[in-house]
Amino acid sequence: MLLLRGGLVFDPSTPSSGVDGFVADVLFDGRGIVVEVGPNLDVDASRAEVHDVAGCWVVPGLVDLRAHLREPGQEYKEDLESGLAAAAAGGFTAVCAMPSTNPVNDNRAVTELIRARAASLGGTRVLPFGAITKGLRGEELAEMAELREAGCVGVTDDRRAVGAGLLRRALEYAATFGLVVMQHCEEPSLGGGLCVHEGAVSTRLGLRGMPRQSEEAAVARDVRVAELTGAPLHVAHVSSAGAVDVLREAKARGVRVTADVTPHHLTWTDEALVGYRTNAKVLPPLREASDRDALRAGVADGTLDCIATDHAPHAPLEKDCELDEAAPGMSGLETALPLVLRLVRDGHLPRARALEALGVAPAKVLGREARVLGGADVTVIDPALAWQVEAGALRSKGHNTLLLGEPVQGAARLTIVGGKVAFAR
Amino acid sequence: MRGFRSPHLLDIASLGRQDILQVLDAAEVFFEVSRRPVRKVPTLRGKTVINLFYEASTRTRTSFEIAAKRLSADAVNMSVSTSSVSKGESLYDTCKTLEAMHPDLVIIRHQASGAPHYVASKLRCGVVNAGDGMHAHPTQALLDAFTIRRAKGTLEGLSIAIVGDIAHSRVARSNAVLLRSFGCDVRVVGPRTLVPPRFAEAFDVRAFDRLEPALEGADVVMCLRIQRERLSAALLPSLREYSRTFGIGAAQLALAKPDAIVMHPGPMNRGVEISAEVADGPRSVVLDQVEAGVAVRMAVLYLLAGEAERPGVEAEGAA
């Protein structure tokens, strides 16, 4: 038995929770299921592992929809052991692994390898995404029925946008087997793949950029394709104000579309590139303050359902180079909470919505349910804990974050997976 | 004369007006040195200057090399074709290797914007940007300013038209930053495919898509080289059409002030961005720019690698 004493509980499955939460104890039974949530539970303390979590927030386990765990194939950047340790330390009880491994996760064997490795490690759960197309080549569909049987929860070609015709077939075929399709939205012929926003900053720095219209046009097109099929589409890492507008309008029309945004797109703008800082090189690119503000508003009103890390760890020399050569992406599993909590503290995001966007909402995208009462995965967040983001403090092998060397506030106190403590600090 | 506040020359934006004037004033001295019978001073004797060129550029590399040699520095050229660069060595490793050779200055030209900034962050010695991607070409802007000041007597408040491929031009960017800091009216002009939509905002200049308003009353007309690869990128239909619409010939030059000068960073495509008549005409200062280049680069090397508080060069002149 596990007992969490005196935390502020946010639980959509408990009617009295509300947006401000309520102070209560949380009791896991011997099977690891939360069987009771209520104030001052009468529990025989000698028979339970008791954690005093007064001042902390107790929420349904956080779920990351997008992480690059790099195994198999690129273990020098990250492996499942370091990636899952980072996820647990970041408060995530489940993390979706992107299929851009080597070999690509486009078949049962790779999915099974990832799941077996993760099972042997314990702790945070891995929810693999398979590829939409074989080898991420954008040609033939991957064997999605088998991917589903092997344990994939969805399909995506990761950072490669799938064209309209193929996306239609992917949506139809994936829906047949209950898989969600996650799409990186960009128009390849309009600055596709460029990790710098085309604007005044890129013009000043002499960098080729991707205009926001590349994403906006692709999102507009892809929600229409989703509408055609009636199948669910998830739009990954939205970066532009116009895409938020398109999504808001599509949702109002009843299109089955969901979307996520990263903590870094909610925090920084293209000004972070000044000085050619390679840690600001991400795909899609960091855009302007007007975009960032629209993204925040999109999370606040639920247009952007989820916050996902897009965790992209890299080896030091892949960022210690000229900007053109630098690998795109930011390490994000361990900094998501402090970044989101800062947005909450600064009044940019309502607390309950931010917590939902990190847990309940991404679980729902995957057709799962995240809850405290009746659930087994719970995250306890200490919103006040101050710490310094530095190489030695990170479990991920990827130290590529703009936060490196910065003081932050907020972290996971306890990450509980299947009723067991996977991480404690 | 004192050295720079910064140990590097990476872009114009990190220089103040005083730094710029300091370079131009020092260059006046070296300009005279270059016209002496013996064009060599011992200023940088014992100093090692490495030219690290990742892009082919005979003129700029030669200009830096002559500048270094006239200052008695030991100048060494490393170019892509003759070094490990062609074997795919990372810039990180190249920096470590250079560092082990204890250079006093590294002059770098690189196709990636910001590469000199990276190199400067890795090396203990000074770094001079000889052109990085589309970002900056500070010595070109300084030599252009030197040439303009000589021709016009001042840099303040002039009207300057920069014509052509603004989008891809580090020369346009560095010139825009420098000339704006002297209050010049900087106009950039070209077909809209070659003038980025945010350029005017980013550099606080005026952008035009017709020559007439851009050239009207201009003191200086600066032509930029049109690269043939702009055709395949669907930025221009043909060099012929470019020449007809944005090429600078006598008729176009007549739109500018009667005493306007014409500049070109070279190498010129005669008959494309500039007519032969204008290029060789009395208002062309193209060769003055080349001569200024050596003097300005001598000044830059001197200010970066010379000893602080060193006495003026006239006293050391070898002539």
Side-chain angles (χ1 to χ4, degrees):
Chain A
M1 291 209 301
L2 186 63
L3 179 67
L4 308 177
R5 277 273 188 222
L8 186 64
V9 179
F10 295 83
D11 182 21
S13 56
T14 304
S16 54
S17 177
V19 292
D20 296 322
F22 64 113
V23 176
D25 299 343
V26 173
L27 180 67
F28 294 76
D29 69 5
R31 299 166 302 153
I33 307 290
V34 175
V35 288
E36 263 193 283
V37 178
N40 304 314
L41 294 181
D42 185 16
V43 178
D44 178 359
S46 65
R47 292 181 48 238
E49 177 185 340
V50 181
H51 294 268
D52 178 8
V53 295
C56 294
W57 305 343
V58 181
V59 302
L62 307 187
V63 178
D64 188 12
L65 278 182
R66 284 185 64 82
H68 300 85
L69 299 180
R70 308 294 192 202
E71 186 177 345
Q74 294 187 301
E75 291 84 355
Y76 71 97
K77 291 175 190 266
E78 189 84 291
D79 56 28
L80 285 163
E81 186 172 4
S82 62
L84 292 177
F92 293 99
T93 56
V95 52
C96 295
M98 292 297 100
S100 49
T101 46
N102 184 15
V104 169
N105 185 12
D106 61 0
N107 65 78
R108 171 195 290 274
V110 177
T111 307
E112 285 174 348
L113 170 84
I114 292 169
R115 293 193 70 214
R117 268 279 284 155
S120 73
L121 292 164
T124 291
R125 303 172 197 271
V126 171
L127 307 174
F129 263 69
I132 293 174
T133 62
K134 288 177 188 143
L136 305 174
R137 283 189 296 271
E139 294 161 5
E140 298 168 36
L141 294 178
E143 293 179 334
M144 296 184 193
E146 278 214 351
L147 288 169
R148 172 78 202 193
E149 282 166 29
C152 283
V153 295
V155 287
T156 180
D157 270 2
D158 197 11
R159 287 180 168 146
R160 303 193 193 182
V162 173
L166 191 55
L167 178 65
R168 176 201 179 160
R169 299 309 177 202
L171 284 162
E172 290 170 341
Y173 194 74
T176 308
F177 304 102
L179 292 166
V180 66
V181 172
M182 179 192 281
Q183 165 86 320
H184 163 83
C185 290
E186 67 176 34
E187 166 50 45
S189 66
L190 205 53
L194 294 176
C195 304
V196 173
H197 169 67
E198 183 185 318
V201 171
S202 70
T203 303
R204 213 162 67 224
L205 296 178
L207 297 169
R208 280 170 224 281
M210 185 206 296
R212 59 166 72 85
Q213 286 77 5
S214 181
E215 175 176 287
E216 292 164 356
V219 174
R221 181 198 67 184
D222 291 348
V223 298
R224 294 287 174 178
V225 175
E227 198 169 14
L228 168 69
T229 64
L233 169 70
H234 181 80
V235 175
H237 47 222
V238 175
S239 67
S240 63
V244 178
D245 292 339
V246 170
L247 288 164
R248 190 176 286 122
E249 186 264 345
K251 285 183 159 193
R253 224 169 51 237
V255 182
R256 291 179 70 193
V257 61
T258 52
D260 71 70
V261 58
T262 73
H264 47 270
H265 286 98
L266 291 170
T267 301
W268 290 287
T269 66
D270 57 351
E271 291 285 350
L273 279 164
V274 171
Y276 301 93
R277 292 165 79 195
T278 53
N279 280 335
K281 180 176 176 178
V282 295
L283 186 68
L286 298 170
R287 299 195 187 272
E288 298 176 40
S290 57
D291 296 288
R292 184 196 58 189
D293 294 348
L295 295 172
R296 291 170 174 177
V299 174
D301 74 9
T303 301
L304 303 177
D305 308 75
C306 311
I307 297 172
T309 67
D310 210 7
H311 179 70
H314 291 294
L317 279 181
E318 293 172 316
K319 286 291 194 182
D320 189 359
C321 54
E322 62 272 38
L323 191 71
D324 277 11
E325 283 296 308
M330 208 181 300
S331 185
L333 284 168
E334 291 164 274
T335 51
L337 262 182
L339 286 176
V340 172
L341 293 179
R342 183 195 288 172
L343 292 167
V344 170
R345 271 199 314 278
D346 294 347
H348 298 302
L349 294 180
R351 177 173 60 180
R353 177 76 262 280
L355 295 173
E356 180 184 71
L358 283 166
V360 173
K364 196 171 161 199
V365 168
L366 302 173
R368 304 162 79 95
E369 195 182 16
R371 58 198 299 178
V372 176
L373 183 61
D377 296 356
V378 168
T379 301
V380 178
I381 298 165
D382 182 345
L385 194 137
W387 60 290
Q388 184 98 9
V389 180
E390 50 202 357
L394 298 175
R395 277 86 180 162
S396 170
K397 292 184 189 177
H399 305 149
N400 48 303
T401 165
L402 285 169
L403 275 183
L404 202 66
E406 300 275 320
V408 293
Q409 192 184 323
R413 251 294 287 292
L414 291 168
T415 305
I416 299 166
V417 182
K420 290 195 188 112
V421 175
F423 174 82
R425 73 150 65 79
Chain B
M1 190 177 285
R2 286 169 159 304
F4 268 173
R5 287 172 300 172
S6 162
H8 312 294
L9 176 59
L10 300 179
D11 50 38
I12 296 293
S14 41
L15 299 181
R17 275 173 60 113
Q18 283 313 309
D19 296 315
I20 292 167
L21 291 172
Q22 189 183 4
V23 174
L24 301 188
D25 292 343
E28 292 287 352
V29 176
F30 291 116
F31 191 83
E32 297 312 319
V33 169
S34 289
R35 289 187 167 186
R36 292 175 190 170
V38 178
R39 292 172 288 277
K40 195 157 186 159
V41 290
T43 316
L44 295 187
R45 196 162 48 205
K47 302 280 186 184
T48 305
V49 175
I50 298 180
N51 270 326
L52 181 62
F53 274 58
Y54 285 80
E55 277 183 345
S57 162
T58 313
R59 351 173 104 235
T60 304
R61 203 203 62 211
T62 305
S63 181
F64 269 110
E65 191 177 350
I66 290 173
K69 288 185 167 159
R70 286 190 183 163
L71 292 168
S72 304
D74 298 309
V76 184
N77 290 320
M78 276 180 76
S79 60
V80 180
S81 53
T82 57
S83 76
S84 53
V85 165
S86 53
K87 296 174 204 141
E89 186 180 68
S90 70
L91 204 45
Y92 177 89
D93 282 323
T94 302
C95 287
K96 294 288 160 196
T97 304
L98 289 178
E99 184 82 346
M101 298 175 187
H102 302 290
D104 295 285
L105 275 179
V106 168
I107 294 156
I108 178 171
R109 164 163 291 195
H110 200 283
Q111 64 280 0
S113 297
H117 300 67
Y118 175 75
V119 169
S121 75
K122 292 289 152 193
L123 294 179
R124 278 192 297 269
C125 72
V127 173
V128 177
N129 181 0
D132 63 323
M134 306 185 295
H135 171 237
H137 194 351
T139 59
Q140 178 72 43
L142 289 164
L143 76 87
D144 287 343
F146 182 89
T147 307
I148 294 169
R149 192 173 75 163
R150 282 211 143 213
K152 297 287 162 198
T154 179
L155 285 173
E156 303 281 347
L158 298 173
S159 291
I160 317 253
I162 308 178
V163 186
D165 187 0
I166 308 299
H168 301 89
S169 178
R170 52 197 175 210
V171 175
R173 284 176 172 81
S174 283
N175 266 306
V177 175
L178 189 153
L179 295 166
R180 284 298 296 138
S181 74
F182 286 89
C184 292
D185 170 19
V186 176
R187 307 116 173 233
V188 297
V189 57
R192 290 186 180 207
T193 46
L194 297 180
V195 181
R198 305 286 286 276
F199 197 92
E201 172 197 344
F203 290 94
D204 188 28
V205 299
R206 298 197 288 153
F208 296 89
D209 57 10
R210 284 175 48 240
L211 275 181
E212 291 76 11
L215 295 187
E216 193 185 350
D219 297 289
V220 177
V221 178
M222 207 177 267
C223 304
L224 299 175
R225 180 178 168 79
I226 292 290
Q227 309 276 0
R228 193 166 283 278
E229 55 261 36
R230 304 303 168 228
L231 303 181
S232 54
L235 295 165
L236 289 177
S238 68
L239 295 182
R240 175 177 168 274
E241 180 151 301
Y242 178 83
S243 173
R244 281 191 54 208
T245 49
F246 291 96
I248 300 296
Q252 288 72 30
L253 191 52
L255 296 163
K257 280 194 184 151
D259 62 346
I261 56 169
V262 180
M263 309 180 77
H264 194 300
M268 291 187 286
N269 294 308
R270 287 164 181 263
V272 181
E273 67 266 5
I274 188 168
S275 73
E277 184 188 4
V278 170
D280 300 326
R283 289 150 74 181
S284 166
V285 294
V286 173
L287 295 177
D288 302 275
Q289 289 173 271
V290 176
E291 187 176 6
V294 174
V296 161
R297 288 172 179 127
M298 286 173 80
V300 167
L301 300 183
Y302 163 70
L303 289 169
L304 292 178
E307 305 298 327
E309 305 295 340
R310 206 184 170 88
V313 288
E314 287 109 318
E316 296 188 358

